[in-house]
Amino acid sequence: MCARTQSLRYRWFRWLNAAAYVPFGAGLMLLLLLLLPPTPVDAGCRRLVQKPCEAICVRTGSINRHIVRQEFEVRGNGSTGPYGARDGWTCELRIVVIMPANTSVEASLPRVQPVLEKAEGAIRRDGIIPADVAIRWIPFDDRCEQARATVMAMDGTGSDSCGHLILGPSCDFALAPVARIARYIYNDGIPVITGAGYTFDFEEPKTHCENEFHMLIRTGLVSFKRMAFFMIELIRHFNWNRVVYFYERQSYYNVAGPQTGHLLMNTMAEFFRHENITYSPFSTDSARTNLTESLKEKVGLSHASEYYRHVKPQSATARER
């Protein structure tokens, strides 16, 4: 009994001794929280002073034109809008559309603008955005040029236009510089939404500021990467391991602008290397002879395959006839 009592006392002593540290630990944690407050979350990739025009809703006739914090209320008719939008508030969503005016490209301004108007009508009917928020489309013709598209993006987000969103560009070469600088426009960057961006670079991770195309959002389902995966599956199915890639550098201009064929070839080559597939690209633009002769020269015997035609043997009755 004495030994048991001594053991129980020892256990109680250990528990009480450990429990004595609980308030101390809690107090220490509280002190650390007070002395070391959590770091505020900043969504931007660089710190900039916000411009008054960055706000969608501002007070009408405001002298200082400060950034106005949006407050929302549910109206009697079921729609949701900025508090006081009908009483001293002005709300406008400015969307910068950067696309070529040349209709040789499928996603060009003359073809896309009617679609955007229909989309706005559907948004209004479904009440997706408050009825008091106006939408202003700001179109720019980038001519599928990199430098021009970059300047258009700067003009569309300057003090005169101060766009909240960029739609486009629809040409891959023009899209690249715009998508790169978007993370540094405004304090929080500006979203770039496009149905293009077919090259594999545009499908890389975009979750951190260090990622090249951090603010890019692709809405298209088809990309050159998916096409490359399809080709790899086809090659694996037939147990091939060598490929000659014939392409025309300026082909399919209507899809992604200049050098679409070249961009597709680069994506194919990137994933062929990952799969250890030997490939040999050949641009038909540089063919000195006709394509038939180029095919014989480039393919030759090293990339050719033999196919045997299996003839079904005739039956004995057929042979007798």
Side-chain angles (χ1 to χ4, degrees):
M1 294 293 294
C2 294
R4 183 178 180 183
T5 303
Q6 185 177 3
S7 176
L8 289 174
R9 287 179 179 177
Y10 177 72
R11 291 179 184 177
W12 275 108
F13 176 78
R14 289 182 59 188
W15 292 340
L16 291 174
N17 191 28
Y21 286 94
V22 173
F24 175 79
L28 180 61
M29 292 180 62
L30 180 60
L31 180 62
L32 290 175
L33 290 175
L34 292 175
L35 295 178
L36 301 174
T39 304
V41 177
D42 187 7
C45 295
R46 68 166 180 166
R47 292 184 177 274
L48 292 174
V49 178
Q50 288 186 328
K51 297 185 292 185
C53 65
E54 291 183 44
I56 296 178
C57 294
V58 296
R59 288 192 180 277
T60 305
S62 175
I63 299 176
N64 296 326
R65 306 286 291 176
H66 288 304
I67 297 296
V68 181
R69 181 172 61 88
Q70 295 185 40
E71 299 177 358
F72 293 88
E73 66 172 358
V74 179
R75 304 187 185 280
N77 58 4
S79 62
T80 305
Y83 179 77
R86 297 180 184 273
D87 185 16
W89 289 72
T90 300
C91 300
E92 184 181 57
L93 177 63
R94 294 175 291 277
I95 303 176
V96 180
V97 184
I98 304 177
M99 294 179 186
N102 185 0
T103 55
S104 297
V105 180
E106 297 293 341
S108 56
L109 285 174
R111 293 178 175 177
V112 172
Q113 282 179 318
V115 178
L116 295 178
E117 293 174 2
K118 287 185 174 293
E120 182 179 356
I123 289 173
R124 296 296 187 189
R125 288 193 304 271
D126 297 340
I128 296 177
I129 65 172
D132 297 328
V133 178
I135 296 179
R136 178 154 66 99
W137 305 97
I138 309 173
F140 289 97
D141 176 18
D142 63 356
R143 301 178 185 174
C144 281
E145 298 176 5
Q146 297 186 55
R148 187 177 178 88
T150 306
V151 174
M152 298 298 99
M154 300 304 296
D155 290 346
T157 55
S159 299
D160 294 336
S161 300
C162 205
H164 299 110
L165 167 70
I166 294 178
L167 288 184
S170 53
C171 299
D172 273 23
F173 272 118
L175 173 63
V178 174
R180 287 190 184 101
I181 66 173
R183 53 183 166 167
Y184 299 124
I185 297 177
Y186 305 146
N187 183 69
D188 298 320
I190 183 170
V192 178
I193 302 178
T194 180
Y198 300 100
T199 311
F200 70 95
D201 294 333
F202 296 116
E203 292 196 274
E204 293 296 310
K206 308 177 183 68
T207 53
H208 302 287
C209 283
E210 294 77 15
N211 300 132
E212 187 176 15
F213 304 113
H214 177 57
M215 298 299 294
L216 177 64
I217 302 173
R218 292 186 64 255
T219 60
L221 298 177
V222 180
S223 66
F224 295 159
K225 180 179 179 180
R226 295 177 184 270
M227 295 180 185
F229 286 166
F230 169 76
M231 291 300 300
I232 291 172
E233 289 295 325
L234 189 65
I235 292 169
R236 294 303 185 202
H237 176 76
F238 289 102
N239 295 321
W240 296 334
N241 54 18
R242 292 190 300 273
V243 176
V244 177
Y245 189 93
F246 280 73
Y247 71 99
E248 184 179 348
R249 182 177 293 271
Q250 299 294 342
S251 61
Y252 295 101
Y253 180 92
N254 62 314
V255 176
Q259 301 190 32
T260 300
H262 178 68
L263 295 175
L264 175 58
M265 186 278 298
N266 283 343
T267 302
M268 293 281 190
E270 178 71 19
F271 291 98
F272 284 170
R273 284 194 294 267
H274 293 170
E275 298 294 328
N276 294 324
I277 297 175
T278 303
Y279 70 95
S280 176
F282 179 75
S283 174
T284 56
D285 303 329
S286 60
R288 298 180 180 178
T289 58
N290 58 43
L291 294 180
T292 303
E293 294 299 323
S294 298
L295 187 64
K296 293 179 181 178
E297 178 184 353
K298 293 297 177 181
V299 175
L301 297 177
S302 59
H303 294 83
S305 299
E306 293 184 2
Y307 293 91
Y308 296 95
R309 182 182 178 185
H310 297 280
V311 180
K312 185 177 181 180
Q314 295 179 344
S315 62
T317 306
R319 286 197 298 268
E320 290 176 359
R321 292 179 182 176

